[in-house]
């Protein structure tokens, strides 16, 4: 796995989502996705692949409501597997369990798409070598082509048990209300670069990755934010190299009028569409 999710690059570290029934959600994320429980309370579970690093937090608010349609928020979070062989094993697992999924070849990566029982979107993918990515004019070529599943299955005959310990939160893709305001916030505020544009979407990254954050208006320009107790995104983290790098970003955010609050162990900010971000080091 290449170094697009290590310091000094800024990357997505953890995602928190609401679910309708915590115990049912845990069962799905263990048996279908292959995550492990790191910590659990009555209404919250922190999931991991390596037994120490949180990747996904599930929460069940006391007054939780089903996922709302046509809002901003989570489109999907994406789990990056260490190798193509790992993706091959995961594909065979999905076929054996008969859990519904989609698939695509994005040129830079190969991806499988799943929706959890509450409607939260999940991508599980592996990257092609960055030396094979095609760049022109500062943008990386990406597409949505059919995945050659037979070729992928031939990559490995290994048996599935759980996600590999080296699995990372590769990227997050969000519904937003306005691309112009979104671009200002993520570029001028958070310091990301736009690496691809098409069809009402921006793909952004740091350090030359194909994208750490995708942003789209596919739920409609001006879409409202979901209710706080709705199934969907609670927050996600951006990991900065050090305090100096994070302080620079908080200054940039305040410079464009964003409100940054200091919490215990992190700074919090909300993008123009209501998506909450935790800035950590």
């Amino acid at each position: 796995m290449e170094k697009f999710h290590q310091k000094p690059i800024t990357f997505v570290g953890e995602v928190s989502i609401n679910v309708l029934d915590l115990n049912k959600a845990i069962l799905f994320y263990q048996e279908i996705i292959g995550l492990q429980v790191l910590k659990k309370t009555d209404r919250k579970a922190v999931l991991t692949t390596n037994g120490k690093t949180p990747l996904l937090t599930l929460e069940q608010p006391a007054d939780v409501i089903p996922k709302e349609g046509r809002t901003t928020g989570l489109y999907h979070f994406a789990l990056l597997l260490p190798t193509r062989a790992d993706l091959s094993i995961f594909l065979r697992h999905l076929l054996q369990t008969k859990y519904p999924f989609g698939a695509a070849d994005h040129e830079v990566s190969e991806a499988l798409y799943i929706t959890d029982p509450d409607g939260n979107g999940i991508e599980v993918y592996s990257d092609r070598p960055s030396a094979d990515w095609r760049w022109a004019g500062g943008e990386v070529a990406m597409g949505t082509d059919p995945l050659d599943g037979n070729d992928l299955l031939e990559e490995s005959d290994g048996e599935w048990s759980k996600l590999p310990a080296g699995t990372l939160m590769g990227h997050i893709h969000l519904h937003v209300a306005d691309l112009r305001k979104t671009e200002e916030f993520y570029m001028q505020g958070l310091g990301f670069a736009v690496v691809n544009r098409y069809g009402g979407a921006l793909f952004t990254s740091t350090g030359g990755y194909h994208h750490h954050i995708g942003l789209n208006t596919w739920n409609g320009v001006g879409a409202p934010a979901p209710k706080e107790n709705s199934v969907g995104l609670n927050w996600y983290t951006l990991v900065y190299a050090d305090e100096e790098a994070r302080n620079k970003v908080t200054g940039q955010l305040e410079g464009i009028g964003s409100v940054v609050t200091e919490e215990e162990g992190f700074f919090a900010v909300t993008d123009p569409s209501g998506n909450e971000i935790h800035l950590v080091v």
Side-chain angles (χ1 to χ4, degrees):
M1 187 177 290
E2 300 187 59
K3 298 181 179 180
F4 295 110
H5 298 81
Q6 299 178 24
K7 300 173 182 181
I9 291 174
T10 302
F11 56 91
V12 179
E14 181 185 359
V15 172
S16 171
I17 59 173
N18 280 342
V19 297
L20 288 174
D21 184 305
L22 182 61
N23 290 325
K24 287 183 180 179
I26 290 172
L27 193 63
F28 165 82
Y29 280 99
Q30 287 178 316
E31 295 190 350
I32 301 299
I33 302 300
L35 292 163
Q36 309 159 48
V37 176
L38 182 63
K39 293 183 290 186
K40 182 182 181 298
T41 62
D42 287 346
R43 295 196 173 273
K44 180 186 292 189
V46 180
L47 307 182
T48 183
T49 58
N50 62 10
K52 58 183 179 180
T53 306
L55 272 189
L56 181 69
T57 293
L58 309 175
E59 296 193 43
Q60 181 189 331
D63 55 352
V64 66
I65 61 173
K67 185 176 179 65
E68 299 176 278
R70 312 297 291 179
T71 66
T72 61
L74 184 68
Y75 181 50
H76 63 243
F77 63 85
L79 298 168
L80 174 59
L81 302 184
T83 69
R84 189 173 191 255
D86 295 319
L87 188 65
S88 174
I89 293 168
F90 187 74
L91 172 57
R92 186 172 293 104
H93 160 65
L94 290 180
L95 292 169
Q96 290 171 346
T97 62
K98 296 182 170 58
Y99 196 87
F101 69 94
D105 185 328
H106 295 304
E107 298 187 39
V108 295
S109 63
E110 295 172 289
L112 304 172
Y113 292 94
I114 307 157
T115 301
D116 80 4
D118 296 320
N120 294 302
I122 308 159
E123 176 181 343
V124 180
Y125 74 111
S126 64
D127 279 332
R128 288 199 167 95
S130 62
D132 296 337
W133 303 349
R134 296 182 295 112
W135 292 83
E139 294 200 5
V140 64
M142 293 195 292
T144 303
D145 301 318
L147 179 72
D148 189 338
N150 290 330
D151 184 72
L152 180 57
L153 288 170
E154 290 177 2
E155 185 76 16
S156 175
D157 59 2
E159 290 295 319
W160 186 89
S161 60
K162 58 188 177 182
L163 288 181
T167 301
L168 303 171
M169 190 63 70
H171 65 265
I172 192 168
H173 195 152
L174 304 170
H175 291 295
V176 297
D178 181 286
L179 285 184
R180 184 189 62 79
K181 292 179 181 177
T182 295
E183 183 169 350
E184 177 189 42
F185 176 86
Y186 282 89
M187 306 312 110
Q188 298 179 30
L190 291 176
F192 280 69
V194 175
V195 292
N196 186 278
R197 303 173 188 265
Y198 74 86
L202 302 173
F203 294 87
T204 72
S205 75
T206 66
Y209 192 50
H210 58 71
H211 69 293
H212 292 105
I213 306 173
L215 305 147
N216 73 69
T217 53
W218 299 337
N219 271 351
V221 174
K227 297 180 179 65
E228 286 189 13
N229 60 333
S230 167
V231 163
L233 181 69
N234 284 317
W235 47 261
Y236 70 95
T237 65
L238 288 176
V239 183
Y240 287 87
D242 49 36
E243 294 282 356
E244 181 180 359
R246 184 174 64 175
N247 289 342
K248 178 184 177 183
V249 166
T250 59
Q252 291 171 179
L253 288 165
E254 290 169 346
I256 62 171
S258 297
V259 177
V260 181
T261 59
E262 185 172 2
E263 309 291 340
E264 187 176 350
F266 62 91
F267 287 86
V269 67
T270 300
D271 78 7
S273 300
N275 298 304
E276 184 175 337
I277 307 160
H278 295 177
L279 312 179
V280 303
V281 294

